[in-house]
Amino acid sequence: MDCLDYKTQPATTMSGYFPEYNSKRSFKGASMEVDPNSLDPELRTAKFLALASAALGLMSLCLAIIPVCGGAASVIGIVTGLFSLRTENTKTALAGVILSILGVVVTIVYSLFLYFFKK
């Protein structure tokens, strides 16, 4: 049986197939990895707050059926998104603020619905 598997084949490198590829995972000088420790601490905090704002915005939409939880998640999401937008204007922070505002609206509408239509 003349089957060869990966253990018996010589290892081929990416540089043989792609001459512009080097072993440091970069193409033509552009690095593909970002070291989080190399970022400015303020920028790192802004990215974290933007992500937290987007997550809280999505959670506020889900938690709107419990008005206290949905309202709290929405308010915290708006605050973290605005702090992030003050430092760095990213689409993630903007999406978090928009989702959190939408969560506040859904929470208020659902609270009014519960108040006026309770038995």
Side-chain angles (χ1 to χ4, degrees):
M1 204 163 147
D2 198 22
C3 292
L4 297 175
D5 59 339
Y6 69 93
K7 293 178 183 175
T8 59
Q9 292 291 324
T12 58
T13 60
M14 292 297 291
S15 60
Y17 296 114
F18 302 107
E20 68 271 1
Y21 181 83
N22 60 22
S23 63
K24 295 182 181 177
R25 294 185 183 165
S26 63
F27 286 92
K28 297 182 182 176
S31 178
M32 294 173 59
E33 293 182 10
V34 175
D35 183 23
N37 295 327
S38 68
L39 292 175
D40 179 33
E42 190 173 332
L43 183 64
R44 200 173 356 162
T45 303
K47 288 185 183 289
F48 173 74
L49 288 175
L51 189 60
S53 174
L56 285 167
L58 285 173
M59 285 176 48
S60 70
L61 290 173
C62 296
L63 292 173
I65 59 171
I66 307 169
V68 174
C69 296
S74 298
V75 170
I76 295 171
I78 291 170
V79 170
T80 56
L82 291 177
F83 277 133
S84 177
L85 282 173
R86 189 171 51 164
T87 303
E88 183 187 21
N89 193 6
T90 61
K91 291 180 183 177
T92 308
L94 187 62
V97 170
I98 290 171
L99 286 172
S100 296
I101 290 172
L102 187 61
V104 167
V105 170
V106 170
T107 301
I108 290 172
V109 168
Y110 188 69
S111 298
L112 291 174
F113 178 77
L114 288 177
Y115 180 74
F116 285 118
F117 292 110
K118 67 179 179 180
K119 291 182 180 180

